[in-house]
Each structure stands twice: as C-alpha cells, then as structure tokens.
Amino acid sequence: MANEQDLMEKIVSLAKRRGFIYPSSEIYGGINGFWDYGPLGVELKRNIKDAWWHDIVRCPAAGPDGRPIQMVGLDCSIIMNPKVWEASGHLSGFSDPMVDCKKCKARFRADQVWIVHWGDQAKFDEWLASAFGNPTTLPEGYRARMAQKLGLAGYTAEMQEKVREILRLGRYQRGNQPPTYAKTVLASAREEAKTLAQLSNRERKIVANAIIVDSEPLSTYGEPPEDSQCPNCHEMATFTKPRQFNLMFRTTVGALEDPSALAYLRPETAQGIFVNYKNVLDTTRIKTPFGIAQIGKAFRNEINPRNFTFRSREFEQMEIEFFCHPGQADPWYEYWRDARFKWYVDHGLKSSKLRLRNHEKDELAHYARACADVEYEFPFGISELEGVANRTDFDLTQHQKFSGRDMTYFDDETKERFIPYVIEPSGGVDRATLAFLCEAYDEDEAPDEKGAMQKRTVLRFHPRLAPVKVAIFPLVRKDGMPEKAQAIYQACAKHLAAFYDEKGAVGRRYRRQDEAGTPFCVTVDGETNQNGTVTVRDRDTMQQVRIPGASVLAYVRERLHI
Ligand code: GAP
C-alpha cells in the first residue's frame, strides 16, 4: 500500500472520480470547508445514517439491566432562539484565538502564525530547547503559565521529542508551505507519519495548546515578532494581535438587521434535544432511563478546515442524549462508550485501527464527569470519530436557569424529583463516512480480458453500507440478454440498491463496480438463454458461480444479511 500521504490523495481522487464527494460549488473555485456528496456518496452516507437510526432508535439493543433501551427520535430546527446558545455556553466559550494579516486580510489561527514564526529550523530547535529544556532561559512565569494551561507539571525528554514530531506533522497537515524549511518538514513528516499515527490525541492537543500559549507574547508585546510571515502574501510582521473568534455562524432573522435579529446556525444538534426534553416527557409515556436521538446538520466556522471532510464547516452529527438517574450515570456511561465502539467494529472498521481513549481528569470539560473518544487511524493520523461523555445535569440545569422552566423529572415509583444526568454519544456522519471510505480502500491485482494481471482498486465496504448491493449486466447487447438482465434488475431494485449497465467490455464493468464497492455483479450470457442460469461474481474473492437467474435476489440477500 502506498505511503499515507499518497493513500489520502488516492482516496480523495477516487471519491471525486467515482461520484462520492465533490468540492462544493466547484465551478466557481469551491469554498473551503464545504463538500457535496455525489450519487454514490449520498447512498453511502444515507446507509450509515439509516444503520445508526435503525440500531439506536428503531431497534435498540438491551441495556446493562438486560431490558430493551427506550429511545425516541427528534428533528429540531437549525436556527433556535439565541438564548439557547447563551445557556449552553457557546456564546461565551466556543472560540479559537485568531490573527489577521493586515496586508492581505487573510485570517489564521494563532497557532498557524506561531508555526510560521518558527519556520526557521534553527529557531524552532532553539525554542524547543528553551521551552522544554532549560527553564532558566524562559521569560518569568512562562513555564508556570504553560504548565497551568496544559495541565502538566513539566516535560520529559520523551515528550519533548514527541512534541517536536507533532509540530512537524501539524505543519505538514496544514499544508502551509512558507519559503523556508517547508521541504525538509514535508520530507521528514512523510517518513515520520507512521510513528506519528501512534501518538495520542491528547498529546496533539497538548501541542496545540502549547502553540497557542506560545502565541501569547504576540498579545503581551502588542506586535507580532519581526520574523513572523504571512503564509498567504508572505509579507513580514503584518499580523494583528490574537483575539478570540467565535466559531458559530451568525445570521439575521426577519427583515431587520439590527442586534435584536441576530441568530446562529447550530454548532451541535445536542441543544435542540435538551430544549425539547420536557416536550418529549410530556407528550410520550417515556420514563427514565431513556434516550433522545437526532441526526442533523451542524455548522462551525472552523478557522482551519482540513483533511478532506474530516474538519468541515458544515457537517452532520448523529447524537444521543441519554437521560438517567444521577446514581445510574456511571454504568450507563460505560454501556454507551463500549456500545458505540462496537458499532464501528461491527460495520467494518478494523479494531486494530480503532481505539477507545478515556480522557484524563485534567482534559475533561468542567461540567463533564467522564469522557471517551472513539478514535480511528485515518491515513493522516489517529483522530476522533465520536465522543461519549457524561455531561452530568449541566445542560438541563443551565436551561432551567436561563428559561425559567422546570427541568426536573418526577419518578412516580420512588416519588423522587431530580434533574437527570445525561450521557451523550456524539458522532459525526461525515467523519464516519470518511473512515468507512478509508477502511474500504484497497488495491490488489485482477486479470484483464487477455488474462494479464492488472492493478485493481476496490472498495471493500461492509455489505450494509455498500452504496450499491448488486450490479446486473448483459454480456452483450443482443440475443435477448438485455431484456433478461433488465428483468433481474427490476426484481432486485424493488428490495435493494441495484444497478444496471450494458455498455463496454464486461471486465471494465466489473472494475467500475469494484471501485464503487458493489459486493456482487451478475452477468446474463449465452448460457442463460439455454438453461436460465447467470454468473455471480464476488467483489472480494473475484470468484464466479452460476445460479438460476430467478434466484439472484434471494442469493444476494442471504449473503448480505439484508
Ligand atoms: N454535542 C457534543 C459535540 O458536538 P464535538 O466533539 O464537538 O461534541 C461531536 O462533536 C462529533 O461531531 C465529533 O466527534 C465529530 O465526529 C463531529 N464533528 C465535530 N466538528 C466537526 C467538523 N468541523 N467537521 C466534521 N465533523 C465534526
């Protein structure tokens, strides 16, 4: 398999070429952080959402007590009363530090500026030595400030080396290529990518924080360092002081554009669930413990969208808010953490590439009692797919405070009144789609029409997720073969995603379906006219068997368990 950088390029290129994912509004040059799903992509994404909805809402498994879990669904509006975001803390706290280039007006996260500032290899090493090696050279209070922000007492030599590597990878991932030192970094990052993929997200976060902390002198001294350089226009020392940038997209509601009309596109679907929790309680017969699930769009004005669809500005979330008695929160948290991990394994992500990372105490948000990330080893590194958190009674308490509405739950049996604790498994549909695409991508060899071995690209999707389950071909466009193939196609299409193709050499039609991840291809040939049988070719083994044409649907369903 190609190196990780090449692999990602191949996946992005296949996604475009075969109609999985296109850059948004591409004919106008695209728009950073936005993507469109093509004919195969929309089927893949829909299959992921349908599988999740089926397994979570329609047919939930048994809980830790052995009883079926109570789950209901919800579909809330994207724009809500702005007070929601005041109560949730997003208005005051959902931000990143950013700087603007005064010359070209380009905007960067402060950490990018820092990277550019230290674009020179010698200075970079000098900084590492001073920051991590020799405390006496640090400005007064610097190490203490840093230790406090990072939640670390100090750095070991091993950590220092990791930090160095991650900084290089971070630079490489961002694709910034300032004139100096970029080539060396790219070359070394490529070699190091494998090792770096082993590093934990926490270590990366520490580094991201370290970078931000290090950009503090920009604000302290008022001006950026003289040797900082804009990655866009390459002008020297043109940055504004860092300032906080709220990631919520703003809009106005109604004809007036004054502050009273200000509203926000939701940055998460979760808050819609919290503000409807009482409605659900009052309009259903549900009792704790129960969950409310929602799939929907979320928007974040990420300063630095990257890694294909991994960090986008418009994306979909699949979120569960699970309400339970505070005394039951710990076992429910463990249940959801393990169940969500298993869901990804069950749908084809190799457990060797997945890991469950429990957050350290010092990493937890102030309201969270526990949190774990389901992480996947993407070609660009190990990154978060889904987070599972015990959010305590924080959100409901906040909404009770800001709305004045009673958010307590009364238990008829125990006569106890309490604000439920919430366990939140929160996943990204686009990240899951990308992970399944990366996992499915494979290259092997297959014989062409003349029997010569040729490279083959194949997407080995889990059957439940494959955009097309079966493709039906007539071998040639004569002798009644198209009519017979059409009849089989019609019979299949009523029950599962089927595809009909009669153009080109049959070998090439197989290859196209391999690239689409179609598990079975059925060919109607000369023998079909004699005895009614067709060939069925298996995507993964490339073996062909003959079965009666009338049995195709049953054959595919039985093997795909659908
Ligand atoms: N309600 C909790 C919440 O929103 P989060 O960790 O910010 O938590 C949950 O987001 C999930 O949403 C992530 O694990 C990820 O899968 C997805 N996600 C978050 N930001 C994203 C982005 N910019 N692009 C794509 N997916 C994103």
Side-chain angles (χ1 to χ4, degrees), residues 474 476-487 500 502 524:
V476 288
R477 275 194 279 177
K478 56 183 185 184
D479 301 337
M481 292 182 207
E483 291 74 13
K484 290 198 172 70
Q486 276 281 356
Y500 175 80
E502 57 178 29
V524 170

Side-chain angles (χ1 to χ4, degrees), residues 268 300 302 310 312 317 319 384-385 424 426 428 431:
E268 61 173 22
R300 296 183 190 178
E302 301 280 0
F310 180 83
S312 307
Q317 290 185 312
E319 296 200 292
E384 177 187 332
L385 258 188
E424 178 193 65
S426 170
R431 282 196 192 170

Side-chain angles (χ1 to χ4, degrees), residues 145-156:
R145 264 205 329 275
M146 185 181 257
Q148 189 196 355
K149 286 220 175 189
L150 305 182
L152 285 179
Y155 288 85
T156 59

Side-chain angles (χ1 to χ4, degrees), residues 493-536:
K494 287 191 192 117
H495 303 277
L496 41 80
F499 183 77
Y500 175 80
D501 188 6
E502 57 178 29
K503 290 190 216 84
V506 76
R508 254 182 253 134
R509 281 181 265 167
Y510 285 148
R511 296 289 185 286
R512 283 185 63 77
Q513 292 309 312
D514 289 340
E515 283 190 344
T518 306
F520 293 110
C521 289
V522 172
T523 305
V524 170
D525 55 18
E527 216 177 312
T528 317
N529 286 339
Q530 293 162 19
N531 61 17
T533 61
V534 295
T535 62
V536 182

Side-chain angles (χ1 to χ4, degrees), residues 24-42:
S24 164
S25 41
E26 196 187 6
I27 60 167
Y28 293 103
I31 170 165
N32 197 7
F34 297 89
W35 301 93
D36 294 340
Y37 287 80
L40 287 176
V42 71

